[in-house]
Structure formats: structure tokens, C-alpha cells
Amino acid sequence: MGIAIEPLGRQHDRAAFSCRQSALDDWFHRRAGQDQKRNVARVFVAVDDQHGVVGFYSLSSFTLVIDDLPDEIARKLPRYDTIPAALIGRLARDQKVRGQGIGELLLADAVRRILSASRSLAVFAIVVDAKDDHAVAFYEDFGFRRFPTRPSRLFLPTSTAAAALARAAD
């Protein structure tokens, strides 16, 4: 199964996609294209020849309130009201390809795109909102940490992500 990850376009059939999370399915079927047209999110899809669209994720700019960060991180940052971040707003893989590493592939692609953008635009951290405990565990496996006041919101400093990618490339 050869997977290509590309920007969402009109040629992508979203109707058959199902991750079995109604909020994610509904957003992808009904609002992903509109969010992209309105510059609210950039949406990327994983496509294979056999199943069509097998996953997606969205990216947006975001700001973190410094007081929401763990103290050991916040005290090392300048005392601005907000800190720049990137948001992986939604990430899902089709239930047909469960257990085939598509979620991991999508997350790695999203992190690479964010790190690429961070060469031109300041991004302190990558933020995700996990939909359930399973999603929290998924992100924690990749080094994301929970926000102290919002346990379903997690973050990964871009410096940590860049170091991990550099180690993986060695």
C-alpha cells in the first residue's frame, strides 16, 4: 500500500471515509473544505490506490497562554501574554486501515510540515486536542505532554520535535 499525503482538493472523495468518531467524520465530510477555503485550517489527506482517502489532519496557527504551560517550561520563556504555536486541530485515520501505522504517518507528516514552517514563522510548540484517552495515549507515545489545567490538550515543543527528527535521520 503506497500512501501519498497531499493537500485536500476537490478530487478527493471524502464520503466513504469513517474513523468511527462522529465529530471527526462530520467535520471532514462537511466542514474541512470550508475551513480550508476560509483560511481557518490547512487540511492534508493520506491517499492510497486501493482505499482512496485513508486519513487526514488539519493545521492552524495557534497561541498559547504562558500561564497554561507547566511552570518548569513557562519560567524559561519571555513574559509575553501569549506564545506562538501550531495546532494539529484534527487527525484521524479510516477504520479500514486501523493498525497499519497511518495515524503515525499522519502525525510525522504534520510535525515535519510544522517544523518546515517554523524556519520562517516562530512556533514554540505543537498543540493537539485529544478526543479521548486512547488519543491522549497515542500522542504521549510521541513525547507530547499534557497541559496541567487541560489534560486532553497536549503539546510538544518544536525544539524537542526537531531533535527527535534529527535523531531518526541519523
Side-chain angles (χ1 to χ4, degrees):
M1 170 170 60
I3 301 289
I5 299 179
E6 55 197 39
L8 176 65
R10 291 181 184 260
Q11 74 276 20
H12 297 115
D13 180 11
R14 293 179 272 162
F17 181 90
S18 176
C19 67
R20 295 194 176 156
Q21 289 263 344
S22 61
L24 289 169
D25 286 340
D26 181 63
W27 179 84
F28 187 58
H29 294 149
R30 293 188 170 99
R31 293 191 296 276
Q34 290 299 316
D35 281 1
Q36 187 154 276
K37 285 178 194 167
R38 294 177 179 148
N39 286 323
V40 174
R42 291 289 172 248
V43 183
F44 296 88
V45 292
V47 182
D48 86 349
D49 296 333
Q50 184 179 6
H51 298 292
V53 175
V54 294
F56 69 87
Y57 67 86
S58 67
L59 296 178
S60 301
S61 59
F62 194 71
T63 56
L64 294 173
V65 176
I66 198 162
D67 292 337
D68 289 345
L69 291 167
D71 288 339
E72 73 272 9
I73 292 175
R75 73 172 146 254
K76 296 176 185 175
L77 294 171
R79 298 308 306 166
Y80 300 134
D81 292 338
T82 58
I83 301 294
L87 176 68
I88 301 173
R90 291 163 180 86
L91 185 150
R93 54 99 190 104
D94 195 292
Q95 53 87 23
K96 292 182 294 239
V97 293
R98 183 178 180 152
Q100 297 181 31
I102 302 301
E104 293 84 350
L105 182 67
L106 289 164
L107 181 58
D109 191 76
V111 168
R112 282 188 193 99
R113 287 182 196 269
I114 291 166
L115 291 176
S116 178
S118 73
R119 291 185 204 116
S120 301
L121 181 70
V123 180
F124 171 74
I126 302 165
V127 176
V128 297
D129 284 316
K131 299 296 180 202
D132 56 30
D133 290 341
H134 179 74
V136 168
F138 171 80
Y139 290 115
E140 286 179 332
D141 283 347
F142 292 95
F144 282 78
R145 296 179 52 188
R146 297 178 194 214
F147 282 91
T149 58
R150 292 186 65 181
S152 64
R153 177 167 281 173
L154 297 91
F155 72 98
L156 179 69
T158 51
S159 58
T160 303
L165 280 180
R167 281 191 307 275
D170 288 343

